[in-house]
Amino acid sequence: MKMQLAALAALSSLALPLAAHAATWNTLTGEAPIVVAHRGASGYLPEETLGSYELAIKLGADYIEPDVQMTKDGHLVAMHDTTLTRTTDVAALFEPRNGTYNVKDFTLAEIKTLTVKPTGALSRPDSTYPGFTPSMPDPYKVPTLDEVLVFLNAQNAANGTSVGIYPEAKAPFDAEKEAKIIASLKSNGFDTAADKVILQSFAHQSIINLTSLLETNGMEAEVAQLGSVRLEDGIYGVNGSDGFRTLDQIASVATGVGVSYGGITQSFIQAAHGLGLKVHAYTFRPLSEDEAFAMIQPMLNWGLDGFFTDYTDFGRTVVDAQHPAPVPLPAAAPLLLAGLGGLALLRRRKAA
């Protein structure tokens, strides 16, 4: 009851100037670090599906992340792996092709017959989450990138929110796939900075190409080089799928880096910020709030600009526990009191 009253009191403060509630952060921009739903709410529901993305949004994601692969007939689908084996029931429906089940060997029509299975550590075999019912039919089919973007537009329009999209062009470099990613974003209205798009890839050549494609198409978006932190001859950089690039080199074509959290140090974040680069960490998989605080809090103190997590609710809890907490959009009010994965504004922090 006390938490509900606190949430209602916080909601009433929305009438006050937002500046009075602005949080002070150590991030590059001074804004709150972003919580990125890694493949959706993948710790709870089948990853890279509309149902998983919907739950992640309800749990407080700032961005949802689809990995992008291309089918045999040239369609873009949300799928992390190059094969369909780990996350779908493909082996029960099809014989192997070329000895395996590569996404690129199946048509979109064939992939649409598959069902995505839950694989997260806290998922249930029946693909359910307490108190949550997906709003769409067949929520655990493999969606196309277009379908993810249409869904996100509808969610934002219905709820007055501005959840962003953080698609990954899977390595290796593929000019055709990347051109189609840009075309899909543009055709679905994700073409200005206000649309909150961050493009990412482990391949540096893809980063260069995506940046060029944005300019050619008159679009605005952030671009992040993925990889692991590396210190070479006293110079920080990122080791991606096609080699090491210094932060200076990355800053010439990108706006940020997405790096494995195990290698992040405060000095790395400071070096990146000094070049105008945001730092996002991947992938936090805490199985409790206590674990989430232990894993994420130190890096927020250093100035981390955002992070990927399979558990949006735990990540949201850590960010919202900072003082003062950010003020949400009025349209988010119903979720604050719903109790789905905790309050979206004032979440409990376990007593020490």
Side-chain angles (χ1 to χ4, degrees), residues 264-339:
I264 296 176
T265 62
Q266 185 173 12
S267 58
F268 174 80
I269 293 176
Q270 290 172 342
H273 284 182
L275 292 168
L277 291 170
K278 294 180 180 179
V279 180
H280 296 158
Y282 68 83
T283 300
F284 291 113
R285 296 184 172 95
L287 301 183
S288 69
E289 288 183 2
D290 288 341
E291 284 187 24
F293 277 100
M295 296 171 72
I296 302 170
Q297 185 67 58
M299 295 187 189
L300 296 188
N301 295 341
W302 295 342
L304 187 70
D305 300 285
F307 56 89
F308 295 79
T309 179
D310 291 358
Y311 301 96
T312 304
D313 49 351
F314 295 150
R316 184 81 266 156
T317 298
V318 176
V319 172
D320 286 0
Q322 313 307 303
H323 182 76
V327 177
L329 293 171
L335 294 181
L336 299 182
L337 305 179

Side-chain angles (χ1 to χ4, degrees), residues 27 29 32 94 111 117 145 162 181 185 195 204 222 247 266 298 313 331:
T27 57
T29 63
F94 295 96
I111 289 175
K117 304 177 295 184
L145 179 59
S162 58
I181 291 173
L185 288 166
D195 298 311
H204 189 67
E222 297 182 56
L247 290 179
Q266 185 173 12
D313 49 351

Side-chain angles (χ1 to χ4, degrees), residues 110-135:
E110 290 171 329
I111 289 175
K112 281 294 187 181
T113 66
L114 307 178
T115 299
V116 185
K117 304 177 295 184
T119 57
L122 298 183
S123 62
R124 299 182 176 192
D126 60 357
S127 297
T128 61
Y129 180 87
F132 171 69
T133 301
S135 64

Side-chain angles (χ1 to χ4, degrees), residues 3-310:
M3 291 182 67
Q4 290 179 334
L5 291 175
L8 288 171
L11 285 174
S12 68
S13 71
L14 290 172
L16 300 175
L18 289 179
H21 300 274
T24 300
W25 308 90
N26 294 325
T27 57
L28 178 65
T29 63
E31 299 174 336
I34 61 170
V35 179
V36 184
H38 183 243
R39 311 178 202 172
S42 55
Y44 299 120
L45 294 176
E47 66 181 53
E48 311 264 16
T49 62
L50 296 185
S52 184
Y53 292 131
E54 183 175 27
L55 176 59
I57 290 171
K58 290 184 178 295
L59 294 179
D62 296 306
Y63 285 76
I64 58 172
E65 185 223 18
D67 296 284
V68 183
Q69 302 279 4
M70 191 158 64
T71 67
K72 181 179 180 180
D73 49 347
H75 294 276
L76 302 181
V77 292
M79 176 68 58
H80 175 268
D81 299 1
T82 57
T83 73
L84 299 159
T85 310
R86 179 180 64 87
T87 60
T88 78
D89 59 352
V90 65
L93 301 178
F94 295 96
E95 293 296 322
R97 297 179 185 175
N98 300 314
T100 187
Y101 291 99
N102 286 323
V103 176
K104 66 180 182 180
D105 292 332
F106 288 80
T107 66
L108 178 61
E110 290 171 329
I111 289 175
K112 281 294 187 181
T113 66
L114 307 178
T115 299
V116 185
K117 304 177 295 184
T119 57
L122 298 183
S123 62
R124 299 182 176 192
D126 60 357
S127 297
T128 61
Y129 180 87
F132 171 69
T133 301
S135 64
M136 71 288 297
D138 295 326
Y140 305 123
K141 296 294 185 180
V142 178
T144 64
L145 179 59
D146 279 337
E147 288 170 339
V148 174
L149 295 174
V150 168
F151 158 78
L152 183 55
N153 269 330
Q155 285 285 306
N156 282 333
N159 297 306
T161 51
S162 58
V163 177
I165 189 84
Y166 205 140
E168 179 182 343
K170 300 298 292 182
F173 167 67
D174 185 330
E176 180 185 2
K177 178 171 65 182
E178 289 157 17
K180 288 186 175 184
I181 291 173
I182 296 296
S184 179
L185 288 166
K186 188 171 185 178
S187 66
N188 285 287
F190 290 85
D191 53 2
T192 72
D195 298 311
K196 294 175 62 174
V197 176
I198 307 175
L199 297 165
Q200 58 174 332
S201 181
F202 280 91
H204 189 67
Q205 183 57 46
S206 294
I207 297 302
I208 295 171
N209 188 48
L210 289 167
T211 299
S212 176
L213 287 168
L214 288 170
E215 183 177 355
T216 300
N217 285 273
M219 298 168 61
E220 297 177 87
E222 297 182 56
V223 183
Q225 169 73 57
L226 300 179
S228 56
V229 174
R230 185 170 169 182
L231 184 63
E232 192 169 287
D233 297 326
I235 299 174
Y236 274 117
V238 173
N239 202 38
S241 64
D242 49 2
F244 172 78
R245 299 296 190 286
T246 66
L247 290 179
D248 271 318
Q249 290 173 313
I250 294 169
S252 69
V253 290
T255 59
V257 292
V259 289
S260 177
Y261 73 86
I264 296 176
T265 62
Q266 185 173 12
S267 58
F268 174 80
I269 293 176
Q270 290 172 342
H273 284 182
L275 292 168
L277 291 170
K278 294 180 180 179
V279 180
H280 296 158
Y282 68 83
T283 300
F284 291 113
R285 296 184 172 95
L287 301 183
S288 69
E289 288 183 2
D290 288 341
E291 284 187 24
F293 277 100
M295 296 171 72
I296 302 170
Q297 185 67 58
M299 295 187 189
L300 296 188
N301 295 341
W302 295 342
L304 187 70
D305 300 285
F307 56 89
F308 295 79
T309 179
D310 291 358

